PDB file of all heavy atoms in Angstrom:
ATOM      1  N   LEU A  47     -26.083   3.142   6.560  1.00  0.00           N
ATOM      2  CA  LEU A  47     -25.980   3.399   7.968  1.00  0.00           C
ATOM      3  C   LEU A  47     -25.160   2.355   8.677  1.00  0.00           C
ATOM      4  O   LEU A  47     -24.283   2.698   9.499  1.00  0.00           O
ATOM      5  CB  LEU A  47     -27.363   3.574   8.627  1.00  0.00           C
ATOM      6  CG  LEU A  47     -28.139   4.882   8.223  1.00  0.00           C
ATOM      7  CD1 LEU A  47     -29.544   4.848   8.914  1.00  0.00           C
ATOM      8  CD2 LEU A  47     -27.360   6.109   8.583  1.00  0.00           C
ATOM      9  N   PRO A  48     -25.373   1.037   8.430  1.00  0.00           N
ATOM     10  CA  PRO A  48     -24.542   0.028   9.114  1.00  0.00           C
ATOM     11  C   PRO A  48     -23.044   0.182   8.769  1.00  0.00           C
ATOM     12  O   PRO A  48     -22.169   0.045   9.611  1.00  0.00           O
ATOM     13  CB  PRO A  48     -25.100  -1.318   8.610  1.00  0.00           C
ATOM     14  CG  PRO A  48     -26.507  -1.039   8.241  1.00  0.00           C
ATOM     15  CD  PRO A  48     -26.489   0.360   7.693  1.00  0.00           C
ATOM     16  N   VAL A  49     -22.796   0.428   7.481  1.00  0.00           N
ATOM     17  CA  VAL A  49     -21.375   0.526   7.013  1.00  0.00           C
ATOM     18  C   VAL A  49     -20.703   1.704   7.646  1.00  0.00           C
ATOM     19  O   VAL A  49     -19.568   1.642   8.084  1.00  0.00           O
ATOM     20  CB  VAL A  49     -21.330   0.565   5.437  1.00  0.00           C
ATOM     21  CG1 VAL A  49     -19.920   0.973   5.017  1.00  0.00           C
ATOM     22  CG2 VAL A  49     -21.623  -0.804   4.857  1.00  0.00           C
ATOM     23  N   VAL A  50     -21.426   2.802   7.661  1.00  0.00           N
ATOM     24  CA  VAL A  50     -20.940   4.034   8.331  1.00  0.00           C
ATOM     25  C   VAL A  50     -20.654   3.806   9.824  1.00  0.00           C
ATOM     26  O   VAL A  50     -19.638   4.183  10.412  1.00  0.00           O
ATOM     27  CB  VAL A  50     -21.812   5.278   8.139  1.00  0.00           C
ATOM     28  CG1 VAL A  50     -21.413   6.454   8.988  1.00  0.00           C
ATOM     29  CG2 VAL A  50     -21.802   5.702   6.685  1.00  0.00           C
ATOM     30  N   ALA A  51     -21.586   3.063  10.477  1.00  0.00           N
ATOM     31  CA  ALA A  51     -21.407   2.735  11.929  1.00  0.00           C
ATOM     32  C   ALA A  51     -20.231   1.890  12.145  1.00  0.00           C
ATOM     33  O   ALA A  51     -19.400   2.153  13.032  1.00  0.00           O
ATOM     34  CB  ALA A  51     -22.684   2.118  12.453  1.00  0.00           C
ATOM     35  N   TYR A  52     -20.145   0.756  11.364  1.00  0.00           N
ATOM     36  CA  TYR A  52     -19.025  -0.158  11.517  1.00  0.00           C
ATOM     37  C   TYR A  52     -17.650   0.578  11.230  1.00  0.00           C
ATOM     38  O   TYR A  52     -16.691   0.486  11.967  1.00  0.00           O
ATOM     39  CB  TYR A  52     -19.096  -1.297  10.528  1.00  0.00           C
ATOM     40  CG  TYR A  52     -20.241  -2.258  10.842  1.00  0.00           C
ATOM     41  CD1 TYR A  52     -21.047  -2.777   9.855  1.00  0.00           C
ATOM     42  CD2 TYR A  52     -20.453  -2.729  12.195  1.00  0.00           C
ATOM     43  CE1 TYR A  52     -22.060  -3.658  10.175  1.00  0.00           C
ATOM     44  CE2 TYR A  52     -21.464  -3.606  12.455  1.00  0.00           C
ATOM     45  CZ  TYR A  52     -22.258  -4.061  11.413  1.00  0.00           C
ATOM     46  OH  TYR A  52     -23.244  -4.961  11.710  1.00  0.00           O
ATOM     47  N   GLY A  53     -17.666   1.389  10.172  1.00  0.00           N
ATOM     48  CA  GLY A  53     -16.441   2.120   9.813  1.00  0.00           C
ATOM     49  C   GLY A  53     -16.080   3.122  10.844  1.00  0.00           C
ATOM     50  O   GLY A  53     -14.907   3.347  11.148  1.00  0.00           O
ATOM     51  N   GLY A  54     -17.055   3.803  11.400  1.00  0.00           N
ATOM     52  CA  GLY A  54     -16.839   4.771  12.478  1.00  0.00           C
ATOM     53  C   GLY A  54     -16.270   4.157  13.675  1.00  0.00           C
ATOM     54  O   GLY A  54     -15.272   4.705  14.284  1.00  0.00           O
ATOM     55  N   VAL A  55     -16.801   3.020  14.168  1.00  0.00           N
ATOM     56  CA  VAL A  55     -16.244   2.413  15.335  1.00  0.00           C
ATOM     57  C   VAL A  55     -14.860   1.871  15.052  1.00  0.00           C
ATOM     58  O   VAL A  55     -13.948   2.007  15.934  1.00  0.00           O
ATOM     59  CB  VAL A  55     -17.203   1.192  15.796  1.00  0.00           C
ATOM     60  CG1 VAL A  55     -16.555   0.360  16.877  1.00  0.00           C
ATOM     61  CG2 VAL A  55     -18.518   1.709  16.236  1.00  0.00           C
ATOM     62  N   ALA A  56     -14.650   1.213  13.919  1.00  0.00           N
ATOM     63  CA  ALA A  56     -13.301   0.709  13.595  1.00  0.00           C
ATOM     64  C   ALA A  56     -12.315   1.930  13.482  1.00  0.00           C
ATOM     65  O   ALA A  56     -11.212   1.801  13.936  1.00  0.00           O
ATOM     66  CB  ALA A  56     -13.386   0.014  12.233  1.00  0.00           C
ATOM     67  N   GLY A  57     -12.723   3.044  12.930  1.00  0.00           N
ATOM     68  CA  GLY A  57     -11.890   4.189  12.764  1.00  0.00           C
ATOM     69  C   GLY A  57     -11.483   4.808  14.135  1.00  0.00           C
ATOM     70  O   GLY A  57     -10.307   5.113  14.307  1.00  0.00           O
ATOM     71  N   ILE A  58     -12.433   4.927  15.028  1.00  0.00           N
ATOM     72  CA  ILE A  58     -12.137   5.455  16.286  1.00  0.00           C
ATOM     73  C   ILE A  58     -11.120   4.631  17.120  1.00  0.00           C
ATOM     74  O   ILE A  58     -10.146   5.121  17.624  1.00  0.00           O
ATOM     75  CB  ILE A  58     -13.440   5.704  17.130  1.00  0.00           C
ATOM     76  CG1 ILE A  58     -14.261   6.813  16.529  1.00  0.00           C
ATOM     77  CG2 ILE A  58     -13.156   5.988  18.596  1.00  0.00           C
ATOM     78  CD1 ILE A  58     -15.660   6.926  17.006  1.00  0.00           C
ATOM     79  N   LEU A  59     -11.405   3.331  17.090  1.00  0.00           N
ATOM     80  CA  LEU A  59     -10.485   2.382  17.800  1.00  0.00           C
ATOM     81  C   LEU A  59      -9.152   2.333  17.151  1.00  0.00           C
ATOM     82  O   LEU A  59      -8.098   2.377  17.844  1.00  0.00           O
ATOM     83  CB  LEU A  59     -11.097   0.996  17.863  1.00  0.00           C
ATOM     84  CG  LEU A  59     -12.313   0.812  18.754  1.00  0.00           C
ATOM     85  CD1 LEU A  59     -12.905  -0.554  18.633  1.00  0.00           C
ATOM     86  CD2 LEU A  59     -11.985   1.109  20.205  1.00  0.00           C
ATOM     87  N   SER A  60      -9.135   2.312  15.768  1.00  0.00           N
ATOM     88  CA  SER A  60      -7.817   2.266  15.052  1.00  0.00           C
ATOM     89  C   SER A  60      -7.062   3.560  15.330  1.00  0.00           C
ATOM     90  O   SER A  60      -5.829   3.503  15.589  1.00  0.00           O
ATOM     91  CB  SER A  60      -8.095   2.121  13.574  1.00  0.00           C
ATOM     92  OG  SER A  60      -8.734   0.912  13.297  1.00  0.00           O
ATOM     93  N   GLY A  61      -7.700   4.661  15.186  1.00  0.00           N
ATOM     94  CA  GLY A  61      -7.041   6.003  15.455  1.00  0.00           C
ATOM     95  C   GLY A  61      -6.460   6.039  16.846  1.00  0.00           C
ATOM     96  O   GLY A  61      -5.307   6.527  17.034  1.00  0.00           O
ATOM     97  N   PHE A  62      -7.215   5.576  17.823  1.00  0.00           N
ATOM     98  CA  PHE A  62      -6.732   5.657  19.228  1.00  0.00           C
ATOM     99  C   PHE A  62      -5.503   4.734  19.412  1.00  0.00           C
ATOM    100  O   PHE A  62      -4.494   5.163  19.962  1.00  0.00           O
ATOM    101  CB  PHE A  62      -7.880   5.217  20.121  1.00  0.00           C
ATOM    102  CG  PHE A  62      -7.491   5.157  21.568  1.00  0.00           C
ATOM    103  CD1 PHE A  62      -7.291   6.276  22.324  1.00  0.00           C
ATOM    104  CD2 PHE A  62      -7.348   3.935  22.235  1.00  0.00           C
ATOM    105  CE1 PHE A  62      -6.919   6.276  23.649  1.00  0.00           C
ATOM    106  CE2 PHE A  62      -6.955   3.913  23.587  1.00  0.00           C
ATOM    107  CZ  PHE A  62      -6.773   5.053  24.290  1.00  0.00           C
ATOM    108  N   LEU A  63      -5.633   3.493  18.910  1.00  0.00           N
ATOM    109  CA  LEU A  63      -4.524   2.552  19.064  1.00  0.00           C
ATOM    110  C   LEU A  63      -3.276   2.945  18.313  1.00  0.00           C
ATOM    111  O   LEU A  63      -2.141   2.805  18.810  1.00  0.00           O
ATOM    112  CB  LEU A  63      -4.918   1.148  18.649  1.00  0.00           C
ATOM    113  CG  LEU A  63      -5.992   0.442  19.606  1.00  0.00           C
ATOM    114  CD1 LEU A  63      -6.437  -0.860  18.978  1.00  0.00           C
ATOM    115  CD2 LEU A  63      -5.381   0.225  20.941  1.00  0.00           C
ATOM    116  N   VAL A  64      -3.457   3.445  17.126  1.00  0.00           N
ATOM    117  CA  VAL A  64      -2.332   3.843  16.220  1.00  0.00           C
ATOM    118  C   VAL A  64      -1.710   5.121  16.868  1.00  0.00           C
ATOM    119  O   VAL A  64      -0.392   5.252  16.871  1.00  0.00           O
ATOM    120  CB  VAL A  64      -2.691   4.132  14.825  1.00  0.00           C
ATOM    121  CG1 VAL A  64      -1.583   4.795  14.015  1.00  0.00           C
ATOM    122  CG2 VAL A  64      -3.137   2.872  14.114  1.00  0.00           C
ATOM    123  N   GLY A  65      -2.481   6.000  17.441  1.00  0.00           N
ATOM    124  CA  GLY A  65      -1.899   7.168  18.159  1.00  0.00           C
ATOM    125  C   GLY A  65      -1.072   6.739  19.368  1.00  0.00           C
ATOM    126  O   GLY A  65       0.095   7.205  19.524  1.00  0.00           O
ATOM    127  N   LEU A  66      -1.536   5.803  20.148  1.00  0.00           N
ATOM    128  CA  LEU A  66      -0.832   5.255  21.298  1.00  0.00           C
ATOM    129  C   LEU A  66       0.468   4.558  20.789  1.00  0.00           C
ATOM    130  O   LEU A  66       1.526   4.663  21.407  1.00  0.00           O
ATOM    131  CB  LEU A  66      -1.646   4.327  22.119  1.00  0.00           C
ATOM    132  CG  LEU A  66      -2.719   4.874  23.069  1.00  0.00           C
ATOM    133  CD1 LEU A  66      -3.426   3.772  23.804  1.00  0.00           C
ATOM    134  CD2 LEU A  66      -1.996   5.775  24.122  1.00  0.00           C
ATOM    135  N   PHE A  67       0.314   3.780  19.740  1.00  0.00           N
ATOM    136  CA  PHE A  67       1.453   3.057  19.191  1.00  0.00           C
ATOM    137  C   PHE A  67       2.549   4.018  18.767  1.00  0.00           C
ATOM    138  O   PHE A  67       3.748   3.764  19.083  1.00  0.00           O
ATOM    139  CB  PHE A  67       0.996   2.170  18.028  1.00  0.00           C
ATOM    140  CG  PHE A  67       2.117   1.493  17.286  1.00  0.00           C
ATOM    141  CD1 PHE A  67       2.675   0.355  17.796  1.00  0.00           C
ATOM    142  CD2 PHE A  67       2.530   1.947  16.099  1.00  0.00           C
ATOM    143  CE1 PHE A  67       3.680  -0.328  17.071  1.00  0.00           C
ATOM    144  CE2 PHE A  67       3.570   1.323  15.453  1.00  0.00           C
ATOM    145  CZ  PHE A  67       4.160   0.188  15.918  1.00  0.00           C
ATOM    146  N   ASN A  68       2.225   4.997  18.055  1.00  0.00           N
ATOM    147  CA  ASN A  68       3.244   5.982  17.554  1.00  0.00           C
ATOM    148  C   ASN A  68       3.838   6.751  18.724  1.00  0.00           C
ATOM    149  O   ASN A  68       5.081   7.053  18.695  1.00  0.00           O
ATOM    150  CB  ASN A  68       2.568   6.910  16.549  1.00  0.00           C
ATOM    151  CG  ASN A  68       2.493   6.271  15.193  1.00  0.00           C
ATOM    152  OD1 ASN A  68       3.491   6.026  14.538  1.00  0.00           O
ATOM    153  ND2 ASN A  68       1.246   6.002  14.794  1.00  0.00           N
ATOM    154  N   PHE A  69       3.078   7.069  19.770  1.00  0.00           N
ATOM    155  CA  PHE A  69       3.605   7.707  20.966  1.00  0.00           C
ATOM    156  C   PHE A  69       4.651   6.761  21.637  1.00  0.00           C
ATOM    157  O   PHE A  69       5.728   7.191  21.968  1.00  0.00           O
ATOM    158  CB  PHE A  69       2.483   7.992  21.975  1.00  0.00           C
ATOM    159  CG  PHE A  69       2.997   8.556  23.217  1.00  0.00           C
ATOM    160  CD1 PHE A  69       3.341   9.922  23.335  1.00  0.00           C
ATOM    161  CD2 PHE A  69       3.100   7.783  24.367  1.00  0.00           C
ATOM    162  CE1 PHE A  69       3.840  10.464  24.569  1.00  0.00           C
ATOM    163  CE2 PHE A  69       3.549   8.284  25.537  1.00  0.00           C
ATOM    164  CZ  PHE A  69       3.938   9.630  25.681  1.00  0.00           C
ATOM    165  N   GLY A  70       4.282   5.509  21.787  1.00  0.00           N
ATOM    166  CA  GLY A  70       5.222   4.529  22.353  1.00  0.00           C
ATOM    167  C   GLY A  70       6.452   4.317  21.525  1.00  0.00           C
ATOM    168  O   GLY A  70       7.553   4.209  22.020  1.00  0.00           O
ATOM    169  N   ALA A  71       6.277   4.306  20.224  1.00  0.00           N
ATOM    170  CA  ALA A  71       7.423   4.116  19.253  1.00  0.00           C
ATOM    171  C   ALA A  71       8.433   5.272  19.417  1.00  0.00           C
ATOM    172  O   ALA A  71       9.619   5.048  19.469  1.00  0.00           O
ATOM    173  CB  ALA A  71       6.901   4.049  17.809  1.00  0.00           C
ATOM    174  N   ARG A  72       7.901   6.551  19.453  1.00  0.00           N
ATOM    175  CA  ARG A  72       8.782   7.714  19.579  1.00  0.00           C
ATOM    176  C   ARG A  72       9.551   7.595  20.932  1.00  0.00           C
ATOM    177  O   ARG A  72      10.741   7.964  20.969  1.00  0.00           O
ATOM    178  CB  ARG A  72       8.006   8.978  19.520  1.00  0.00           C
ATOM    179  CG  ARG A  72       7.604   9.300  18.086  1.00  0.00           C
ATOM    180  CD  ARG A  72       7.055  10.749  18.045  1.00  0.00           C
ATOM    181  NE  ARG A  72       5.832  10.929  18.781  1.00  0.00           N
ATOM    182  CZ  ARG A  72       4.607  10.785  18.337  1.00  0.00           C
ATOM    183  NH1 ARG A  72       4.400  10.366  17.112  1.00  0.00           N
ATOM    184  NH2 ARG A  72       3.577  10.967  19.116  1.00  0.00           N
ATOM    185  N   TYR A  73       8.863   7.206  21.988  1.00  0.00           N
ATOM    186  CA  TYR A  73       9.500   7.084  23.272  1.00  0.00           C
ATOM    187  C   TYR A  73      10.611   6.039  23.312  1.00  0.00           C
ATOM    188  O   TYR A  73      11.724   6.243  23.774  1.00  0.00           O
ATOM    189  CB  TYR A  73       8.409   6.749  24.344  1.00  0.00           C
ATOM    190  CG  TYR A  73       9.063   6.530  25.712  1.00  0.00           C
ATOM    191  CD1 TYR A  73       9.412   7.609  26.525  1.00  0.00           C
ATOM    192  CD2 TYR A  73       9.274   5.250  26.180  1.00  0.00           C
ATOM    193  CE1 TYR A  73       9.996   7.427  27.820  1.00  0.00           C
ATOM    194  CE2 TYR A  73       9.881   5.065  27.447  1.00  0.00           C
ATOM    195  CZ  TYR A  73      10.164   6.139  28.235  1.00  0.00           C
ATOM    196  OH  TYR A  73      10.741   5.927  29.462  1.00  0.00           O
ATOM    197  N   LEU A  74      10.313   4.856  22.686  1.00  0.00           N
ATOM    198  CA  LEU A  74      11.317   3.807  22.685  1.00  0.00           C
ATOM    199  C   LEU A  74      12.471   4.177  21.818  1.00  0.00           C
ATOM    200  O   LEU A  74      13.621   3.780  22.145  1.00  0.00           O
ATOM    201  CB  LEU A  74      10.666   2.493  22.171  1.00  0.00           C
ATOM    202  CG  LEU A  74       9.735   1.781  23.181  1.00  0.00           C
ATOM    203  CD1 LEU A  74       9.032   0.597  22.530  1.00  0.00           C
ATOM    204  CD2 LEU A  74      10.539   1.303  24.356  1.00  0.00           C
ATOM    205  N   ILE A  75      12.253   4.853  20.725  1.00  0.00           N
ATOM    206  CA  ILE A  75      13.360   5.201  19.851  1.00  0.00           C
ATOM    207  C   ILE A  75      14.338   6.215  20.578  1.00  0.00           C
ATOM    208  O   ILE A  75      15.515   6.071  20.520  1.00  0.00           O
ATOM    209  CB  ILE A  75      12.850   5.860  18.536  1.00  0.00           C
ATOM    210  CG1 ILE A  75      12.237   4.791  17.651  1.00  0.00           C
ATOM    211  CG2 ILE A  75      13.994   6.567  17.772  1.00  0.00           C
ATOM    212  CD1 ILE A  75      11.433   5.339  16.484  1.00  0.00           C
ATOM    213  N   LYS A  76      13.712   7.181  21.316  1.00  0.00           N
ATOM    214  CA  LYS A  76      14.500   8.088  22.099  1.00  0.00           C
ATOM    215  C   LYS A  76      15.266   7.367  23.222  1.00  0.00           C
ATOM    216  O   LYS A  76      16.425   7.668  23.484  1.00  0.00           O
ATOM    217  CB  LYS A  76      13.567   9.171  22.707  1.00  0.00           C
ATOM    218  CG  LYS A  76      14.277  10.282  23.482  1.00  0.00           C
ATOM    219  CD  LYS A  76      13.394  11.302  24.016  1.00  0.00           C
ATOM    220  CE  LYS A  76      14.142  12.375  24.717  1.00  0.00           C
ATOM    221  NZ  LYS A  76      14.987  11.876  25.830  1.00  0.00           N
ATOM    222  N   PHE A  77      14.563   6.471  23.886  1.00  0.00           N
ATOM    223  CA  PHE A  77      15.220   5.682  24.959  1.00  0.00           C
ATOM    224  C   PHE A  77      16.360   4.908  24.383  1.00  0.00           C
ATOM    225  O   PHE A  77      17.406   4.779  25.021  1.00  0.00           O
ATOM    226  CB  PHE A  77      14.164   4.779  25.630  1.00  0.00           C
ATOM    227  CG  PHE A  77      14.660   4.108  26.834  1.00  0.00           C
ATOM    228  CD1 PHE A  77      15.102   4.851  27.950  1.00  0.00           C
ATOM    229  CD2 PHE A  77      14.656   2.719  26.942  1.00  0.00           C
ATOM    230  CE1 PHE A  77      15.545   4.229  29.116  1.00  0.00           C
ATOM    231  CE2 PHE A  77      15.085   2.105  28.068  1.00  0.00           C
ATOM    232  CZ  PHE A  77      15.529   2.859  29.191  1.00  0.00           C
ATOM    233  N   SER A  78      16.191   4.263  23.246  1.00  0.00           N
ATOM    234  CA  SER A  78      17.224   3.492  22.573  1.00  0.00           C
ATOM    235  C   SER A  78      18.416   4.330  22.248  1.00  0.00           C
ATOM    236  O   SER A  78      19.602   3.953  22.467  1.00  0.00           O
ATOM    237  CB  SER A  78      16.665   2.783  21.314  1.00  0.00           C
ATOM    238  OG  SER A  78      17.685   2.208  20.571  1.00  0.00           O
ATOM    239  N   GLU A  79      18.185   5.535  21.753  1.00  0.00           N
ATOM    240  CA  GLU A  79      19.269   6.471  21.466  1.00  0.00           C
ATOM    241  C   GLU A  79      20.052   6.814  22.692  1.00  0.00           C
ATOM    242  O   GLU A  79      21.317   6.892  22.640  1.00  0.00           O
ATOM    243  CB  GLU A  79      18.725   7.745  20.757  1.00  0.00           C
ATOM    244  CG  GLU A  79      18.192   7.479  19.346  1.00  0.00           C
ATOM    245  CD  GLU A  79      17.514   8.733  18.777  1.00  0.00           C
ATOM    246  OE1 GLU A  79      17.202   9.638  19.570  1.00  0.00           O
ATOM    247  OE2 GLU A  79      17.116   8.710  17.589  1.00  0.00           O
TER     248      GLU A  79
END
């Protein structure tokens, strides 16, 4: 249960940040072009 909880919290935060990061990356690449 602790490992699943830690993994779940880390996964949610990681997924959210990586999603934002990739959105920002696509925008910057388009702006650069």
Side-chain angles (χ1 to χ4, degrees):
L47 291 179
V49 167
V50 169
Y52 292 135
V55 172
I58 289 168
L59 290 175
S60 297
F62 178 71
L63 289 176
V64 170
L66 281 179
F67 174 78
N68 281 291
F69 175 80
R72 286 193 295 270
Y73 176 80
L74 284 174
I75 289 170
K76 184 179 181 304
F77 189 60
S78 173
E79 289 171 352

